[in-house]
Amino acid sequence: MASTFKTIEGTFDVLPGAAVAVHRVEAWQEVERGIRAVMHRFAFEEIRTPILEPTALIARGIGQLTDIVSKEMFSFERGRTSYVLRPEMTAPVVRAYLQHHLSQRPGAARLCYLGPCFRAERPQRGRYRQFHQFGAEILGVTDSRADAEIILVMMAIYEELGVTGTDLRINTLGDEHSRPRYRQALQAYLEQFKGDLSPISQERLARNPLRILDTKVANERELLQGAPKLPDYVDKHSRAHYEALKGWLDDANVRYTEDPFLVRGLDYYTRTAFELEHAKIGAQSALAGGGRYDLLASAIGSRHPVPAVGFAAGLERLFLALDAAGVTLPGRQPVDVWVVAMGPDAERQAFSLVQACRRAGLRTGSDWSGRSLKAQMRLANRAAASYVVILGERELSSGQVQIRQMRTGMQTAAPMNTIVTYLQSQQNASAIT
RNA sequence: GUGACCGUAGCUCAGGCGGUUAGAGCGCCAGGUUGUGGCCCUGGAGGUCGGGGGUUCAAGUCCCCUCGGUCACCCCA
């Protein structure tokens, strides 16, 4: 209770050296580095968009009927404008693509992102109000190889980081003509059993019946056994697209399961839909999801349709999966050098020496509280310093400072002006091994 | 938004049916003689017992409210 204020519900600080990886900066840095490395290798380029977007972009992009828009947005008015803290990144990326006419650049746009998103849900394991998404989008390509590539980068990231036990499920939702036909058929079927449906499903029946497909209620799942099947309604072209996608995935040796009940919570998906799940990370088992969204650009005002496909993944859930896989992530980073000084004259020299070390590229620490030698040595040890340079009255008068290699305890004297080059050579030597 | 469980030092936790100055381990700080870390020993700092109200002679311990955490529903990343 040192402070009156604390992080608000569903948010958390990320600190150096925290015990739990998801709360530790060094772990985040490592994971982010890994994600970006894979994205880079797949020739995606990073895009950064504002956290604040116009509410209408999200509402029209994701769909008014979705849970995200209808009840999970952090939005507020200011002047005559309504703003949202972005709940996801796909709509903003497409907005940027249209705004900056990225279609005019040569070839397809291959964009990736990583950053905070916000949803006003009740927090629980793997679910926060401020959370982080990373993902990739390919805009301007109709071919199913784009769908396949999106799935491939996604899988590569988890594989690279050492996540095991994932389960990829895929489906096709059909196009803008066949999907409504199926919707009607499903609606008509479920209407007969309306009384047996849960209140939520009853609500959905009228507005968004496809969402009922992924219900967890046992008797509803039973009812769905006799329901019209989505694959039977999918149009010829979507069917072919889907078959081709499976072919590419097979060629790439990606394992997947087909799930005709897989639908997604965002309205903009057409044809391909997929989800990456993990069985051992709790109720929030979806690591990532995505699909094709050829209608989104038009929905947010583009005069020309933009074929597009992408995935989005949760960083916090990735941490859960990493933990389940037993992957260890880095903690506090050691320093190369720690400079110890005793007495005002030595402290003055030491201050300059510290800066000289840093200019030479050495990670260098020191303590300016005027502690005892013993205490300063202790700090050097805690900082996991490779070397300690000791400066006191004796060193000042002799011109020779002490250099101690902490691991071995070996200590030698050397002229003050040779220290930096000596430490540099030591660092280079250890870098090679 | 609904439900269940939980909330004591920086961290992990003890604190039988309410009763003297609230404890431990780890961590932190400082000593263990003259200028040296990690091990060990000694000492010290640090808590309005999440916050507010109530019951009582007396509450960390009981009741209510509130805030937060956790897990599940829901939803999705």
Side-chain angles (χ1 to χ4, degrees):
Chain A
M1 283 296 104
S3 166
T4 320
F5 299 110
K6 42 187 178 182
T7 52
I8 61 176
E9 182 181 2
T11 69
F12 58 89
D13 294 315
V14 180
L15 306 171
V20 183
V22 72
H23 294 150
R24 195 195 310 141
V25 253
E26 295 86 355
W28 277 79
Q29 289 164 345
E30 176 70 8
V31 169
E32 288 171 6
R33 198 190 53 69
I35 291 167
R36 290 201 168 98
V38 176
M39 294 287 199
H40 187 76
R41 194 145 29 86
F42 276 75
F44 283 89
E45 296 174 296
E46 185 173 349
I47 181 170
R48 303 192 187 192
T49 61
I51 285 166
L52 233 41
E53 290 282 357
T55 304
L57 166 68
I58 306 300
R60 285 164 60 185
I62 301 179
Q64 293 284 359
L65 303 182
T66 59
D67 291 274
I68 294 175
V69 172
S70 60
K71 55 188 188 195
E72 294 169 4
M73 288 202 299
F74 283 105
S75 62
F76 59 95
E77 314 290 319
R78 184 154 182 105
R80 310 176 68 175
T81 315
S82 178
Y83 301 87
V84 254
L85 299 179
R86 63 181 183 205
E88 59 108 48
M89 304 270 257
T90 301
V93 166
V94 175
R95 193 223 77 233
Y97 175 88
L98 296 172
Q99 179 177 338
H100 303 289
H101 306 284
L102 298 186
S103 60
Q104 297 306 304
R105 294 187 176 191
R110 303 168 64 88
L111 301 170
C112 65
Y113 58 79
L114 189 160
C117 293
F118 304 82
R119 255 119 101 158
E121 296 183 279
R122 187 83 172 267
Q124 69 181 75
R125 183 177 174 83
R127 188 167 81 184
Y128 300 92
R129 292 190 155 192
Q130 175 175 336
F131 62 106
H132 295 75
Q133 280 197 350
F134 64 93
E137 318 282 353
I138 297 176
L139 299 113
V141 181
T142 315
D143 195 271
S144 56
R145 277 171 291 185
D147 306 47
E149 265 208 290
I150 284 292
I151 292 175
L152 291 180
V153 233
M154 181 180 82
M155 298 305 284
I157 289 169
Y158 290 93
E159 192 185 330
E160 190 107 339
L161 289 170
V163 173
T164 52
T166 61
D167 177 27
L168 174 65
R169 294 181 300 123
I170 63 171
N171 192 21
T172 180
L173 304 174
D175 65 12
E176 67 268 40
H177 305 298
S178 64
R179 200 159 83 146
R181 276 202 303 276
Y182 174 65
R183 187 191 138 114
Q184 265 186 351
L186 182 67
Q187 215 163 21
Y189 170 80
L190 288 173
E191 199 68 49
Q192 315 168 62
F193 309 101
K194 188 166 180 180
D196 302 330
L197 298 176
S198 66
I200 305 154
S201 290
Q202 291 193 21
E203 165 76 24
R204 288 211 175 104
L205 186 53
R207 309 174 73 192
N208 204 356
L210 260 58
R211 298 289 302 121
I212 300 175
L213 286 181
D214 64 358
T215 180
K216 287 177 186 170
V217 183
N219 75 305
E220 291 185 358
R221 300 192 81 131
E222 236 166 87
L223 279 179
L224 286 169
Q225 293 300 318
K229 296 283 182 288
L230 179 56
D232 297 335
Y233 285 76
V234 167
D235 58 283
K236 206 184 299 175
H237 293 301
S238 294
R239 183 93 251 151
H241 185 91
Y242 185 56
E243 293 303 322
L245 167 62
K246 288 194 285 179
W248 301 125
L249 293 178
D250 292 337
D251 287 358
N253 288 316
V254 172
R255 300 173 61 115
Y256 57 85
T257 55
E258 293 183 69
D259 180 358
F261 290 102
L262 172 66
V263 288
R264 309 221 10 109
L266 290 71
D267 282 355
Y268 51 58
Y269 289 109
T270 51
R271 294 193 171 169
T272 309
F274 59 86
E275 229 169 73
L276 188 67
E277 279 201 291
H278 197 291
K280 296 196 198 104
I281 60 171
Q284 305 304 308
S285 58
L287 290 174
R292 179 160 281 279
Y293 51 93
D294 294 342
L295 271 34
L296 177 55
S298 303
I300 62 172
S302 174
R303 279 191 297 280
H304 309 288
V306 177
V309 57
F311 84 91
L315 254 310
E316 287 81 358
R317 289 183 192 177
L318 170 54
F319 275 104
L320 252 26
L322 286 165
D323 185 54
V327 174
T328 55
L329 292 162
R332 300 188 91 159
Q333 299 299 293
V335 299
D336 300 315
V337 193
W338 192 271
V339 177
V340 167
M342 286 161 294
D345 294 335
E347 281 175 2
R348 169 161 295 174
Q349 295 271 323
F351 190 75
S352 301
L353 178 61
V354 166
Q355 310 315 323
C357 288
R358 290 172 180 165
R359 255 180 273 124
L362 296 161
R363 182 167 154 91
T364 310
S366 192
D367 177 76
W368 309 120
S369 317
R371 301 181 202 233
S372 68
L373 173 58
K374 187 192 183 89
Q376 291 189 62
M377 289 301 292
R378 201 157 42 223
L379 290 178
N381 186 242
R382 304 282 155 79
S386 305
Y387 289 88
V388 168
V389 177
I390 301 167
L391 265 166
E393 299 302 325
R394 283 184 211 159
E395 287 72 22
L396 248 39
S397 53
S398 69
Q400 302 254 316
V401 302
Q402 295 290 318
I403 304 177
R404 184 181 181 85
Q405 185 179 33
M406 292 298 272
R407 191 174 54 79
T408 59
M410 285 200 342
Q411 189 166 319
T412 53
M416 177 79 165
N417 56 6
T418 65
I419 296 299
V420 174
T421 46
Y422 172 78
L423 290 171
Q424 254 183 322
S425 67
Q426 291 301 309
Q427 193 200 30
N428 292 340
S430 66
I432 293 164
T433 53

